[in-house]
């Protein structure tokens, strides 16, 4: 009786939702809830994505506007990783004073809803330079103290129209000695309000822009690179009054929808956690019974049969969705501004929700091939990637140290790794070969040997072996589906002619049943 009860429970546990309904009329609540959750979570993500697009566009457009406002002679396109460059001392003075004058006239020239940050320090100008010394390039002589010193000047918004600001601008602080000047950094903070969200029936956000303009003269090459950096921080508006019932109702509807998403995910979390707990109890019963009757332990593979990885994935997804939805509700109510954290949580949870759909497709033999192939090939692929990764890292370090001074794609380790990964996928090959500088014949010859060997090794050998590993696993799975999978102790224990025929009959009708 104990063995028969255990067999019945095990057979019922490994049934799909349709078979469980036919066997015991158990309604597949988890299946229905997952389908509902897919629709709701995806809808929630789309709403948040559309709202986030307004935030991103507002940040980007303000950054472009700041460059046109504060960088003299800005063409509208960055030259490289810096915005623009200057080549004469007069251009340097003109560019620095241009920033100060534009900051002074901001309210009269800006088209945006911008204002000064009166709580901050205003305009901060710092110059970093080497200590006193002499330099005579014509005689090849140099006498300089390499230790640096930094001097700063502050111009507050309320001082800009006074004589005090004029005196500061005419002070000796702006007498720059370019042979020992390292950089000049101008930083200031502005505030703004995004009104475009009102057209999307959302409450507006308040922004703080921390702008930094750096005149970089570290190379002392006769070219000063001007970098513009703007860090945007979304802040809670301290005091706002909007007279519109439509905005308030729209906000309430979205908050109610987010609350319903949290409830559905919480229900899914409870059901999946309950299923895992019941599975562990059933595993313990089976292990104890097997040890008592056959006096041997259950193998590790059979133990893992009870641990449903899809439920673990759903639980992780539910937790992330609940936290992300709470953050989204706070952002919608303008109590929080953690857009990035919320985006990561909601985006990852939606990814896991859609991946979890594969579990239900796995009940059909045609769709199950993908899942079984991935499971079978994953250990071999990971071991193979570890070995191939060693070769990849070797090429990365070699390319960085040898080709870095002669090729822009090999200037730093991160760029080298991205360039080599593109080459493995067959992207941008000609440009990589053509952009190498031919200043050194030895390095040019080495670059050819380096690139040809890397492409030949990874595309023709390593990538082919990688595909062969997956193909081999796929062929193995196809053979198993035709001749039968290897039988474990658990499968032997569950063998029963009646149940086998029953399962085959239900599999043919499972698609109609699920619909």
């Amino acid at each position: 009786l104990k063995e028969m009860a255990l067999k019945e429970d095990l057979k019922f546990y490994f049934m799909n939702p349709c078979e469980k309904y036919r066997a015991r009329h158990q309604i597949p609540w988890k299946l229905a809830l997952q389908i509902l959750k897919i629709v709701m979570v995806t809808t929630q993500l789309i709403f948040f994505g559309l709202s986030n697009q307004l935030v991103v566009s507002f940040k980007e457009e303000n950054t472009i506007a700041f460059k046109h406002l504060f960088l003299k002679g800005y063409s509208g396109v960055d030259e490289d990783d810096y915005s623009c460059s200057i080549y004469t001392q007069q251009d340097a003075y003109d560019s620095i004073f241009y920033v100060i004058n534009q900051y002074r006239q901001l309210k009269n020239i800006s088209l945006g809803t911008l204002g000064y940050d009166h709580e901050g320090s205003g305009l901060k100008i710092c110059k970093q330079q080497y200590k006193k010394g002499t330099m005579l390039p014509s005689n090849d002589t140099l006498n300089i103290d390499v230790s640096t010193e930094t001097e700063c000047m502050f111009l507050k918004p309320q001082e800009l129209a006074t004589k005090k600001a004029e005196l500061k601008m005419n002070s000796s602080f702006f007498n720059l000695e370019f042979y020992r000047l390292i950089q000049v950094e101008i930083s200031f903070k502005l505030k703004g309000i995004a009104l475009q969200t009102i057209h999307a029936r959302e409450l507006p956000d308040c922004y703080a822009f921390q702008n930094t303009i750096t005149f970089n003269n570290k190379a002392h090459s006769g070219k000063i690179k001007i970098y513009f950096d703007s860090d945007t921080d979304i802040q809670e508006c301290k005091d706002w009054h909007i007279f519109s019932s439509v905005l308030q109702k729209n906000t309430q509807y979205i908050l109610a929808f987010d609350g319903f998403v949290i409830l559905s995910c919480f229900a899914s979390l409870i059901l999946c956690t309950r299923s895992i707990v019941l599975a562990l109890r059933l595993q313990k019963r089976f292990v104890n019974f097997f040890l008592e009757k056959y006096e041997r332990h259950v193998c590790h593979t059979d133990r893992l049969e009870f641990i449903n990885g899809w439920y673990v994935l759903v639980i992780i997804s539910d937790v992330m969705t609940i936290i992300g939805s709470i953050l989204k509700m706070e952002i919608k109510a303008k109590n929080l501004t953690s857009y990035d954290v919320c985006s990561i949580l909601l985006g990852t949870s939606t990814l896991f929700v859609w991946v979890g759909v594969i579990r239900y497709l796995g009940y059909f033999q045609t769709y199950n091939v993908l899942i079984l192939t991935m499971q079978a090939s994953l250990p071999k692929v990971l071991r193979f990637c570890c070995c191939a990764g060693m070769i990849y890292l070797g090429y990365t370090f070699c390319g960085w140290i040898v080709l870095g001074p002669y090729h822009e794609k090999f200037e730093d380790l991160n760029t080298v790794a991205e360039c080599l990964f593109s080459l493995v996928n067959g992207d941008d090959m000609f440009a990589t070969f053509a952009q190498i500088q031919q200043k050194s014949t030895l390095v040019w010859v080495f670059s050819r040997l380096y690139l040809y060997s890397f492409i030949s090794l990874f595309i023709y050998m390593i990538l082919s072996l990688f595909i062969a590993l997956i193909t081999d696993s796929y062929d193995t799975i196809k053979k198993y589906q035709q001749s039968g999978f290897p039988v474990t102790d658990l499968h032997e224990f569950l063998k029963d002619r009646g149940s086998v025929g029953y399962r085959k009959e239900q599999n043919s009708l499972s698609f109609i049943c699920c619909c």
Side-chain angles (χ1 to χ4, degrees), residues 231-258:
D231 291 329
T232 307
D233 184 27
I234 305 175
Q235 300 177 341
E236 180 184 351
C237 295
K238 295 180 180 179
D239 186 21
W240 48 269
H241 301 281
I242 299 175
F243 303 98
S244 175
S245 60
V246 177
L247 283 178
Q248 295 177 355
K249 288 182 178 179
N250 185 64
T251 303
Q252 292 172 357
Y253 292 151
I254 294 180
L255 290 176
F257 178 76
D258 291 335

Side-chain angles (χ1 to χ4, degrees), residues 487-504:
V487 179
T488 63
D489 292 335
L490 178 61
H491 298 148
E492 285 286 351
F493 182 75
L494 290 176
K495 269 188 178 179
D496 185 270
R497 293 182 181 177
S499 65
V500 172
Y502 169 76
R503 291 175 72 88
K504 286 184 178 179

Side-chain angles (χ1 to χ4, degrees), residues 255-433:
L255 290 176
F257 178 76
D258 291 335
F260 192 59
V261 171
I262 292 175
L263 289 177
S264 62
C265 289
F266 192 71
S268 172
L269 177 65
I270 293 174
L271 290 175
C272 291
T273 305
R274 172 180 170 275
S275 297
I276 290 179
V277 172
L278 293 177
L280 292 175
R281 290 179 181 175
L282 188 60
Q283 181 200 61
K284 186 177 180 181
R285 282 177 57 196
F286 175 69
V287 170
N288 293 337
F289 177 83
F290 214 77
L291 185 62
E292 179 184 345
K293 183 174 182 179
Y294 300 104
E295 297 183 353
R296 58 193 180 93
H297 294 282
V298 177
C299 65
H300 185 66
T301 305
D302 283 341
R303 288 174 181 266
L304 289 179
E305 288 281 343
F306 291 88
I307 308 300
N308 196 324
W310 298 111
Y311 288 155
V312 177
L313 186 69
V314 171
I315 289 174
I316 296 173
S317 171
D318 289 334
V319 172
M320 297 181 76
T321 303
I322 291 172
I323 299 174
S325 299
I326 293 173
L327 290 177
K328 181 177 178 295
M329 293 174 72
E330 292 295 318
I331 291 172
K332 192 69 180 177
K334 303 306 175 185
N335 296 324
L336 285 178
T337 56
S338 306
Y339 275 90
D340 293 337
V341 178
C342 186
S343 299
I344 292 172
L345 290 172
L346 292 182
T348 308
S349 64
T350 306
L351 169 65
F352 288 164
V353 166
W354 280 97
V355 171
V357 178
I358 300 177
R359 171 179 181 257
Y360 299 103
L361 295 177
Y363 292 132
F364 312 110
Q365 187 175 4
T366 308
Y367 297 101
N368 201 30
V369 175
L370 173 63
I371 305 170
L372 296 176
T373 304
M374 291 172 62
Q375 290 176 347
S377 62
L378 185 61
K380 294 184 287 185
V381 167
L382 291 177
R383 289 192 292 268
F384 182 80
C385 287
C386 289
C387 298
M390 301 299 107
I391 305 174
Y392 189 85
L393 285 175
Y395 269 94
T396 301
F397 286 113
C398 178
W400 172 54
I401 199 65
V402 178
L403 303 181
Y406 300 93
H407 202 300
E408 63 177 6
K409 293 184 179 180
F410 291 83
E411 289 180 351
D412 58 76
L413 279 173
N414 186 44
T415 309
V416 176
E418 293 171 355
C419 175
L420 294 181
F421 189 77
S422 298
L423 290 176
V424 171
N425 291 279
D427 295 336
D428 214 20
M429 283 193 181
F430 178 76
T432 305
F433 276 96

Side-chain angles (χ1 to χ4, degrees), residues 175-191:
N175 294 331
L176 305 176
E177 295 177 311
F178 290 92
Y179 76 92
R180 65 190 187 99
L181 179 69
I182 299 174
Q183 69 177 24
V184 175
E185 185 177 280
I186 304 175
S187 59
F188 53 92
K189 189 174 183 179
L190 299 175
K191 291 191 173 183

Side-chain angles (χ1 to χ4, degrees), residues 452-470:
Y452 279 123
S453 62
F454 176 81
I455 292 170
S456 301
L457 179 63
F458 271 83
I459 291 183
Y460 302 133
M461 185 179 294
I462 293 179
L463 196 58
S464 299
L465 287 173
F466 182 83
I467 296 171
L469 288 175
I470 301 175

